[in-house]
Amino acid sequence: MYRPPSRRRVLRLAAQTAAATPLVYALTPEVALAAAPAEAPVASLPAGPAVAALPTPPTWAVRPFPLDQVSLGDGVFRRKRDLMLDYARSYPADRILAVFRANAGLDTRGARPPGGWETSDGNLRGHYGGHFLTLVAQAYADTREAALKAKLDYLVGALGECQRALAEHGSPRPSHPGYLAAYPETQFILLESYTTYPTIWAPYYTCHKIMRGLLDAHTLAGNAQALEIAAKMGDWVHSRLGHLPKAQLERMWSIYIAGEYGGMNEVMADLYALTGREEHLAAARCFDNTALLDACAEDRDILDGRHANQHIPQFTGYLRLFDHTGEEEYAAAARNFWGMVAGPRTYSLGGTGQGEMFRARGAIAATLDDKNAETCATYNMLKLSRQLFFREPDPAYMDYYERGLTNHILASRRDAPSTSSPEVTYFVGMGPGVVRQYDNTGTCCGGTGMENHTKYQDSVYFRSADGNALYVNLYLASTLRWPERGLVIEQTSDYPAEGVRTLTFREGGGRLDLRLRVPSWATGGFTVTVNGVRQRVAAVPGSYVTLSRSWRRGDRVRISTPYRLRIERALDDPAVQSVFHGPVLLVAQSPEQGFRTFSFYKHFTLRGDLADAIRPEGRPLHFTTHGLTLAPFHIADGTRYHAYFKRSEPVVVFGTTDSGVPNRAGGDGLTFLDVLWAQAPFVTSGRFVGAVRALADDWLSAGLFTRAERDRVVAAAVGADLRR
């Protein structure tokens, strides 16, 4: 039976075609300007144009800071950001515009499309241009470089010309003068008769990307024309969908890929917040994917077999609809959906999905291969997490955000310069001996990848709705400018490397609750000092601690959170594990295609620490074990790696003392030694022996040890010397 080609297959073929096409084009004057020197120091940033930020819903307990009020300090995040800034400055705008101009019957100025899926005849063409708008808008908000603003305005102006040309002499003429796309309206018409992929390919997904890019150009860079274009597009969306029966809409959105609409409900709700036009809110509600929406609102997990990134952004849209309608079903669905993905379907790096699809709840070890964790999906899960946090500041959302940002997004940009490619990942394999593949010009992950690395700072700090509290969510080197409070706070940090994080009040002061996130991995302690004086705080991992005082210029807060080596087990097979150092996923560098087998317990001392078995290599965050190097996953190169290994502890052994008794597992898959060492550290040998004896009795009662085996295990514990 014929099966349509997978996205990955289409990507390979398109990439091969693009690779054979020369990438040398004449630069327009605005592109030459965009190749200006790197950003000026943050302190000297000129004032930008007035921007029209999205109104903040009154229901939000927590609110973000605008992107331009938080600047990155030195470190790996800034270095990766700078690589993407170089791409934003250098990539020719006319290449982005080529598909739009061709569709509108305008001169393409000799430029050819970027390639990948963004080709002159590609069914997804135009989406990459939307992402590129967001990239340049974010880059401008971050740097205030005049060249980036000029480039953004050039892009928006050209899209406005395309929209007018289509309305005036499009062939065929669109059904509404607000239509803007890089292909005729045909795909949208065919979707209404339930045409499937690959005959059509996610037309409303493409529409979303263009509209989102335009709104970002408006809200981040003050481009008024961008809002005018987006509003006209919103009018067209309403004209197209507003009269369709609900049953027809629901069937459209249920179609695999063809019915994928990205975050159309979110962008239409945001457009409504800016225009106040009821038809824009009505159009947002046209994208209710009712069967899945209802199931998630009722906390029924029906995700197995569904396309992951087709559905994740829908739930961010539902939250925005909740903001405008107050209908609790929208918010409940988003909360419950997040819980179905973050944890039960999340690999150790923070990504989800196998071959773009959600798999069964808890199926982690069973799904490891070379096409896990589509990067787009993590991009959207991070957006959903921060949106949920605004309404309910649960630290679990920021724990997930840190994991996904540090171990997937940061790792998704190759550590090499390029001005012709975003050099980002699509899938990130979690199977043994896999390697990351970069480039992705013109793909969905190439588009979100451009955005990812120019907004690292968007969730470092939040503020309470009343402005009386500051949340410090991430310990990234950065500077916050909070003009409403007259505050400038600088954070110095080597994150993701271990070290002390210091917050210094550079300007301003006054009464403020400083809420410091205590990461869930911070089991080695969380110490806070203010001006050298240790604070008495109840620092529970997975919470926030609050420092309430009247702050003064020069006050200094130091946070120490020692990293510890730890393992995380796959939900469906506890023997399949990943190793972390604090928040950082460590991967074994090895080309071997099968799982590597590690044994650790025989090296343990009374402290029960993996540091007895995994040794520092000499470079920060690098270790050795079993003859292999463990490296931080965010180092993005072409080395083959193992994010998971097989744990083998076949016999109950304490140091050099071997009991000869099999290390059997209980019903939950945890072995005798797993349960024993979870109780560490043991302050004395006597405490250790007591713990062994008690647990051996439990194993005996459960039928997992014979009486003779129980006695041999206890005798081995008595004879072992683990005091090193």
Side-chain angles (χ1 to χ4, degrees):
M1 183 175 67
Y2 169 76
R3 298 181 64 184
S6 68
R7 286 193 185 189
R8 204 175 194 198
R9 172 64 175 160
V10 173
L11 170 60
R12 284 202 189 105
L13 293 174
Q16 290 165 6
T17 301
T21 303
L23 301 179
V24 180
Y25 301 94
L27 295 181
T28 62
E30 61 83 24
V31 176
L33 176 63
E39 67 196 59
V42 174
S44 63
L45 290 179
V51 298
L54 285 169
T56 302
T59 54
W60 286 13
V62 175
R63 301 180 180 189
F65 289 96
L67 203 62
D68 61 353
Q69 289 183 15
V70 183
S71 56
L72 290 176
D74 290 338
V76 63
F77 285 88
R78 182 163 177 162
R79 290 193 295 273
K80 298 254 192 180
R81 188 279 312 267
D82 288 349
L83 291 171
M84 197 59 75
L85 285 181
D86 287 343
Y87 177 76
R89 296 182 185 111
S90 303
Y91 198 81
D94 286 333
R95 293 198 67 189
I96 295 294
L97 294 166
V99 290
F100 291 95
R101 286 171 166 159
N103 184 54
L106 300 176
D107 182 4
T108 62
R109 307 192 182 186
R112 283 174 285 184
W117 299 343
E118 195 76 2
T119 60
S120 60
D121 59 351
N123 275 351
L124 211 66
R125 62 189 184 273
H127 80 108
Y128 198 68
H131 287 295
F132 196 81
L133 282 171
T134 296
L135 163 67
V136 180
Q138 289 177 173
Y140 172 69
D142 191 3
T143 66
R144 283 295 187 255
E145 291 180 21
L148 289 168
K149 181 64 165 69
K151 187 169 202 168
L152 184 64
D153 291 346
Y154 178 83
L155 286 160
V156 172
L159 290 174
E161 292 174 0
C162 292
Q163 189 179 52
R164 287 192 300 274
L166 286 168
E168 293 170 2
H169 50 75
S171 179
R173 187 76 61 88
S175 63
H176 186 282
Y179 181 73
L180 175 62
Y183 43 71
E185 206 171 358
T186 311
Q187 285 208 56
F188 298 92
I189 297 168
L190 289 172
L191 177 61
E192 292 169 13
S193 60
Y194 316 124
T195 304
T196 58
Y197 167 81
T199 302
I200 64 171
W201 191 349
Y204 280 101
Y205 173 97
T206 303
C207 181
H208 164 241
K209 299 309 176 187
I210 299 166
M211 291 186 70
R212 172 52 62 196
L214 289 165
L215 290 192
D216 287 340
H218 177 65
T219 59
L220 296 177
N223 187 300
Q225 185 185 7
L227 179 59
E228 295 172 6
I229 298 169
K232 292 176 183 177
M233 291 183 71
D235 294 343
W236 167 80
V237 172
H238 183 258
S239 74
R240 186 92 242 160
L241 301 179
H243 68 282
L244 297 183
K246 188 174 180 61
Q248 183 178 2
L249 291 169
E250 291 172 353
R251 182 172 171 185
M252 286 161 57
W253 311 143
S254 70
I255 302 172
Y256 171 71
I257 293 183
E260 182 176 357
Y261 60 73
M264 275 301 302
N265 48 2
E266 178 194 13
V267 80
M268 291 303 303
D270 286 350
L271 182 63
Y272 166 71
L274 291 166
T275 66
R277 297 178 58 180
E278 291 296 331
E279 55 265 45
H280 293 158
L281 181 61
R285 299 184 70 136
C286 288
F287 292 93
D288 283 3
N289 189 0
T290 305
L292 183 60
L293 173 63
D294 288 349
C296 289
E298 297 164 5
D299 207 14
R300 290 186 288 110
D301 189 335
I302 60 170
L303 298 186
D304 186 14
R306 293 179 182 265
H307 188 283
N309 201 51
Q310 180 166 345
H311 297 99
I312 297 171
Q314 296 175 6
F315 290 86
T316 303
Y318 294 147
L319 282 175
R320 297 297 285 131
L321 280 166
F322 168 72
D323 291 335
H324 294 301
T325 68
E327 294 179 18
E328 175 59 28
E329 181 188 32
Y330 286 128
R335 287 193 302 269
N336 293 335
F337 173 83
W338 187 90
M340 295 171 191
V341 179
R345 291 183 171 88
T346 298
Y347 301 105
S348 52
L349 85 166
T352 189
Q354 180 195 37
E356 300 190 357
M357 311 300 286
F358 284 129
R359 299 307 179 191
R361 189 181 184 99
I364 301 298
T367 59
L368 300 176
D369 62 17
D370 63 347
K371 54 185 183 298
N372 302 120
E374 183 185 6
T375 305
C376 275
T378 299
Y379 160 92
N380 279 309
M381 281 298 295
L382 295 187
K383 287 184 65 174
L384 178 59
S385 298
R386 80 192 288 268
Q387 288 280 331
L388 286 164
F389 191 92
F390 295 154
R391 297 155 180 84
E392 182 182 357
D394 185 338
Y397 296 133
M398 285 297 109
D399 271 336
Y400 172 81
Y401 196 99
E402 179 186 60
R403 178 189 293 263
L405 182 71
T406 304
N407 298 301
H408 191 171
I409 299 306
L410 189 64
S412 69
R413 177 51 169 89
R414 190 204 297 268
D415 295 325
S418 175
T419 56
S420 62
S421 164
E423 291 296 337
V424 292
T425 56
Y426 193 106
F427 294 122
V428 179
M430 292 280 99
V434 297
V435 64
R436 276 168 281 184
Q437 303 289 343
Y438 302 96
D439 180 30
N440 283 294
T441 297
T443 72
C444 56
C445 290
T448 56
M450 293 189 293
E451 299 180 33
N452 281 328
H453 307 285
T454 47
K455 63 182 181 75
Y456 286 133
Q457 72 268 41
D458 73 351
S459 298
V460 177
Y461 309 100
F462 295 149
R463 64 180 182 88
S464 61
D466 60 12
N468 292 328
L470 175 67
Y471 288 79
V472 182
N473 305 311
L474 302 171
Y475 295 102
L476 274 62
S478 54
T479 298
L480 167 68
R481 287 170 176 79
W482 190 353
E484 296 87 350
R485 291 290 306 257
L487 287 172
V488 175
I489 301 174
E490 180 186 24
Q491 179 175 181
T492 56
S493 167
D494 289 330
Y495 186 88
E498 187 175 11
V500 174
R501 325 305 185 191
T502 301
L503 295 163
T504 304
F505 284 74
R506 295 297 186 193
E507 294 180 18
R511 193 78 192 176
L512 180 71
D513 291 346
L514 191 63
R515 295 180 179 166
L516 306 173
R517 178 171 153 267
V518 185
S520 60
W521 50 261
T523 57
F526 188 90
T527 303
V528 181
T529 66
V530 177
N531 299 328
V533 178
R534 183 165 178 170
Q535 305 298 294
R536 297 180 63 183
V537 293
V540 177
S543 70
Y544 283 80
V545 299
T546 301
L547 302 179
S548 299
R549 60 183 284 149
S550 185
W551 301 92
R552 296 186 300 177
R553 182 176 181 176
D555 281 346
R556 182 166 294 186
V557 181
R558 292 168 62 88
I559 304 114
S560 177
T561 311
Y563 287 7
R564 296 183 63 185
L565 289 161
R566 60 189 174 85
I567 58 98
E568 289 188 1
R569 300 177 174 90
L571 297 175
D572 51 341
D573 185 350
V576 176
Q577 303 178 356
S578 289
V579 63
F580 284 77
H581 190 228
V584 178
L585 173 65
L586 301 177
V587 293
Q589 296 180 336
S590 168
E592 189 172 319
Q593 297 299 295
F595 281 108
R596 298 305 299 254
T597 301
F598 292 169
S599 252
F600 297 137
Y601 288 138
K602 62 187 176 184
H603 300 290
F604 276 19
T605 63
L606 291 177
R607 64 178 183 167
D609 196 323
L610 279 169
D612 293 323
I614 301 175
R615 303 292 187 181
E617 187 201 63
R619 293 177 287 168
L621 297 177
H622 285 72
F623 299 83
T624 60
T625 189
H626 296 77
L628 298 174
T629 294
L630 301 182
F633 193 48
H634 62 75
I635 295 176
D637 55 23
T639 303
R640 290 192 173 272
Y641 60 87
H642 293 240
Y644 285 88
F645 58 88
K646 283 274 192 179
R647 187 73 174 271
S648 177
E649 310 281 0
V651 179
V652 177
V653 176
F654 307 121
T656 59
T657 306
D658 186 343
S659 73
V661 175
N663 181 34
R664 300 189 184 96
D668 58 3
L670 298 180
T671 68
F672 177 86
L673 289 175
D674 290 336
V675 178
L676 171 67
W677 287 111
Q679 303 171 51
F682 301 103
V683 295
T684 66
S685 295
R687 293 280 182 88
F688 169 73
V689 171
V692 171
R693 181 176 286 112
L695 186 60
D697 287 342
D698 291 344
W699 247 238
L700 175 64
S701 298
L704 297 171
F705 282 168
T706 66
R707 170 64 65 176
E709 287 173 334
R710 178 265 181 204
D711 292 344
R712 292 207 305 274
V713 167
V714 172
V718 170
D721 181 4
L722 305 183
R723 294 173 295 176
R724 305 190 308 276

